[in-house]
Amino acid sequence: MDALLQMININKSFGKVRVLQDMQLTLYAGEVHALLGENGAGKSTLIKILGGIYSLDSGEIWINGRKAEITDVESARRYGVSIIHQELMLAPNLTVAENVFIGRELTTRMGTTDAATMEEQTQRLLDEYQLPIRATTKVGKLNIAQQQMVEIVRAISFGAKIIVMDEPTSSLSEKEVEVLFEAVGRLKASGVGIIYISHRMSELDVVADRVTVLRDGQYIDTVCMAQTDHDKLIALMVGRSMENYYIKEKNYTDEIILQVNNLSAGKAVRNVSFKLRKGEVLGFAGLVGAGRSETMECLFGLRRVESGEILLDGKRVDISSVQKAVSLGLGLVPEDRKQEGIFANQSLRMNTTVEVIDQFLRHGRYNRQLEMELTRKYVDGLFETKYASLEQPISALSGGNQQKIVFSRWLLATRRILILDEPTRGIDIKTKTEIYRTINDLTKQGLTIILVSSELPELINMCDRIVVMSHGYTTGVLEQGEFTQEKIMHYATMEM
């Protein structure tokens, strides 16, 4: 079988840092080829070279048996390459059809925009892929899964034969994932080759035909998904077997340090009640829209509470601002790291110490040495963070390393209760293990954790109890001996 795409001996450096070394990738028509590796392994760089965002230093790209000269995004598009990024590139105020044809609008003989033809052609593609979306609908009114389908239709509309999907399910519910996988199946049947990037092994079991593993910018191996298992893939990714993937001990006491009674905030949070014991990991489960993140926003002063009460050490507290929450000993690692968790253009140092900057100011003097020492203690000592300099912008780091910096910031600032909202979303296996180890160590030291996660195995293996939410309500609280995926999903789908 002739290859649809071959990337041969691809090399790329940024300054003195070599990011890719002799990287290889072969993709066939009608194949889903997963790209697997830790954050910082070089996956994004390889894809950006294929998409014309970066230029390669050396190596060759062949498409349909011919050497391709990809110099920019437009030339990649001419070769039939399309990248669907994790952050969707759509204009919410434009219609589906306008987004599909953006930058290459059709015109009438009079030179005006031919909206009717664009809508007709877009609707034909939507119908072909059995997508219940109207071409005239504003994209901003669609959910995330539907917006991803619009990205796919846009790629198909200009004849893409190689489509890259970067963490496409990171913000999708289980039902939305099923819709995406159905679309992937139709793309395969039409001969499109798909490069699929995901850290969720269970997804690869369903959707991937083959997997190429990268480690530290180098090609490690390509294996058939049907002939391998998760342990082997993890070993290829990290260079060794990963024993004790989930690290969890019983570190809680019977002391209730936080109690929430009948908390309400609009339609997202309705009469939520739960108790939190010192040193425990309390999980929050639920489907997309269940109200988990909104409840955490109430606890952290980001959302106004309409009724109910929050008790800390048995005393009622009014958490009306983030400053108040921090002063009471709470911290929050938010769900949306890029939008809410980092100051993208600021340094690693600033992103680590911003919440405790007053510790380095004494009598009008700034103690830079103390700040640097404390930053290194967390960035280097707590996690194996990959970076060039503490003064480089955090946006230059991979997603996993950015998450480690966000963790470090709130560990510096948090004294009592740390809220983790989807802390391992889009994070590689090795970094997940580091985070799990850190959670266990923190509770052993007396910190208390609230863990919001959409990954049920993560909740089942890392939590002491699990609160389940549905449509803004708490529908069940499960003790450790009661944990099963079936029971959690039963409460997560309850109608109140």
Side-chain angles (χ1 to χ4, degrees), residues 187-219:
L187 289 170
K188 286 181 60 176
S190 65
V192 172
I194 298 170
I195 299 174
Y196 191 94
I197 301 175
S198 176
H199 294 299
R200 296 181 177 180
M201 295 286 187
S202 57
E203 286 183 10
L204 304 189
D205 291 331
V206 176
V207 77
D209 299 301
R210 293 189 301 148
V211 182
T212 287
V213 180
L214 293 75
R215 188 193 322 139
D216 296 327
Q218 295 184 316
Y219 171 83

Side-chain angles (χ1 to χ4, degrees), residues 233-338:
L233 290 174
I234 291 170
L236 290 172
M237 285 172 59
V238 303
R240 64 183 189 280
S241 63
M242 293 291 287
E243 298 178 0
N244 300 322
Y245 177 47
Y246 294 106
I247 303 163
K248 181 71 180 81
E249 299 172 281
K250 177 184 176 296
N251 297 315
Y252 63 86
T253 69
D254 292 332
E255 180 186 353
I256 303 297
I257 63 169
L258 178 74
Q259 184 168 338
V260 174
N261 297 325
N262 302 317
L263 197 69
S264 293
K267 295 181 179 179
V269 182
R270 308 180 184 190
N271 296 321
V272 169
S273 298
F274 64 91
K275 296 178 182 179
L276 184 65
R277 300 177 295 202
K278 183 178 180 180
E280 82 170 324
V281 180
L282 180 65
F284 270 75
L287 303 177
V288 174
R292 296 167 301 163
S293 294
E294 291 83 357
T295 299
M296 300 307 126
E297 290 172 1
C298 290
L299 293 181
F300 202 61
L302 290 166
R303 183 178 290 261
R304 188 174 68 85
V305 175
E306 295 175 359
S307 62
E309 60 179 4
I310 301 171
L311 304 176
L312 195 62
D313 295 327
K315 297 178 181 179
R316 184 167 181 167
V317 291
D318 177 22
I319 306 179
S320 55
S321 67
V322 171
Q323 290 76 15
K324 181 65 174 179
V326 173
S327 72
L328 292 171
L330 279 69
L332 170 66
V333 176
E335 177 183 13
D336 191 337
R337 178 177 61 245
K338 290 193 174 182

Side-chain angles (χ1 to χ4, degrees), residues 103-385:
R104 53 193 184 95
E105 291 81 1
L106 302 181
T107 57
T108 65
R109 292 179 180 179
M110 303 295 292
T112 58
T113 301
D114 192 348
T117 303
M118 291 193 298
E119 289 168 5
E120 179 186 344
Q121 292 185 13
T122 300
Q123 193 62 56
R124 191 183 308 134
L125 286 170
L126 292 166
D127 294 343
E128 181 181 337
Y129 280 81
Q130 300 176 27
L131 301 173
I133 302 171
R134 304 306 303 170
T136 53
T137 301
K138 293 284 182 68
V139 161
K141 294 183 178 180
L142 303 178
N143 62 35
I144 296 298
Q146 291 172 322
Q147 290 184 29
Q148 283 190 323
M149 298 306 153
V150 174
E151 287 270 28
I152 292 172
V153 167
R154 179 161 67 182
I156 299 165
S157 71
F158 62 76
K161 284 298 181 181
I162 299 168
I163 296 179
V164 180
M165 297 183 179
D166 187 0
E167 295 286 352
T169 66
S170 61
S171 299
L172 303 187
S173 67
E174 287 190 21
K175 289 184 179 180
E176 290 170 336
V177 170
E178 291 177 8
V179 173
L180 175 67
F181 286 174
E182 288 173 4
V184 168
R186 295 188 189 99
L187 289 170
K188 286 181 60 176
S190 65
V192 172
I194 298 170
I195 299 174
Y196 191 94
I197 301 175
S198 176
H199 294 299
R200 296 181 177 180
M201 295 286 187
S202 57
E203 286 183 10
L204 304 189
D205 291 331
V206 176
V207 77
D209 299 301
R210 293 189 301 148
V211 182
T212 287
V213 180
L214 293 75
R215 188 193 322 139
D216 296 327
Q218 295 184 316
Y219 171 83
I220 300 301
D221 200 2
T222 298
V223 296
C224 291
M225 197 64 206
Q227 298 171 3
T228 190
D229 57 38
H230 295 180
D231 289 341
K232 180 179 178 180
L233 290 174
I234 291 170
L236 290 172
M237 285 172 59
V238 303
R240 64 183 189 280
S241 63
M242 293 291 287
E243 298 178 0
N244 300 322
Y245 177 47
Y246 294 106
I247 303 163
K248 181 71 180 81
E249 299 172 281
K250 177 184 176 296
N251 297 315
Y252 63 86
T253 69
D254 292 332
E255 180 186 353
I256 303 297
I257 63 169
L258 178 74
Q259 184 168 338
V260 174
N261 297 325
N262 302 317
L263 197 69
S264 293
K267 295 181 179 179
V269 182
R270 308 180 184 190
N271 296 321
V272 169
S273 298
F274 64 91
K275 296 178 182 179
L276 184 65
R277 300 177 295 202
K278 183 178 180 180
E280 82 170 324
V281 180
L282 180 65
F284 270 75
L287 303 177
V288 174
R292 296 167 301 163
S293 294
E294 291 83 357
T295 299
M296 300 307 126
E297 290 172 1
C298 290
L299 293 181
F300 202 61
L302 290 166
R303 183 178 290 261
R304 188 174 68 85
V305 175
E306 295 175 359
S307 62
E309 60 179 4
I310 301 171
L311 304 176
L312 195 62
D313 295 327
K315 297 178 181 179
R316 184 167 181 167
V317 291
D318 177 22
I319 306 179
S320 55
S321 67
V322 171
Q323 290 76 15
K324 181 65 174 179
V326 173
S327 72
L328 292 171
L330 279 69
L332 170 66
V333 176
E335 177 183 13
D336 191 337
R337 178 177 61 245
K338 290 193 174 182
Q339 295 297 321
E340 301 170 354
I342 64 172
F343 300 93
N345 296 322
Q346 299 298 322
S347 68
L348 274 63
R349 172 185 54 79
M350 183 271 189
N351 271 276
T352 304
T353 62
V354 63
E355 303 297 336
V356 294
I357 194 68
D358 59 315
Q359 292 185 20
F360 316 117
L361 299 172
R362 289 291 183 272
H363 307 298
R365 293 186 177 182
Y366 162 53
N367 191 333
R368 179 182 175 84
Q369 182 178 350
L370 177 60
E371 183 184 20
M372 296 296 281
E373 288 174 358
L374 202 54
T375 301
R376 288 195 179 94
K377 176 183 176 181
Y378 280 83
V379 173
D380 296 334
L382 189 64
F383 296 113
E384 297 177 20
T385 311

Side-chain angles (χ1 to χ4, degrees), residues 432-449:
K432 281 187 177 183
T433 304
E434 287 185 66
I435 289 174
Y436 297 150
R437 171 185 54 78
T438 300
I439 289 173
N440 189 66
D441 290 346
L442 292 171
T443 55
K444 192 181 296 185
Q445 296 163 18
L447 201 68
T448 303
I449 305 289

Side-chain angles (χ1 to χ4, degrees), residues 29-89:
E31 175 188 34
V32 176
H33 194 125
L35 205 55
L36 198 60
E38 300 173 32
N39 289 103
K43 304 185 299 295
S44 295
T45 301
L46 183 70
I47 292 312
K48 286 177 180 177
I49 288 173
L50 177 62
I53 298 170
Y54 292 157
S55 60
L56 50 78
D57 295 338
S58 62
E60 296 180 345
I61 300 175
W62 290 69
I63 296 176
N64 285 322
R66 295 183 179 181
K67 188 174 180 180
E69 299 293 338
I70 298 177
T71 56
D72 54 26
V73 174
E74 188 54 42
S75 62
R77 181 172 291 184
R78 287 197 297 271
Y79 281 108
V81 176
S82 178
I83 300 178
I84 299 175
H85 297 276
Q86 191 171 354
E87 291 79 27
L88 300 179
M89 307 294 184

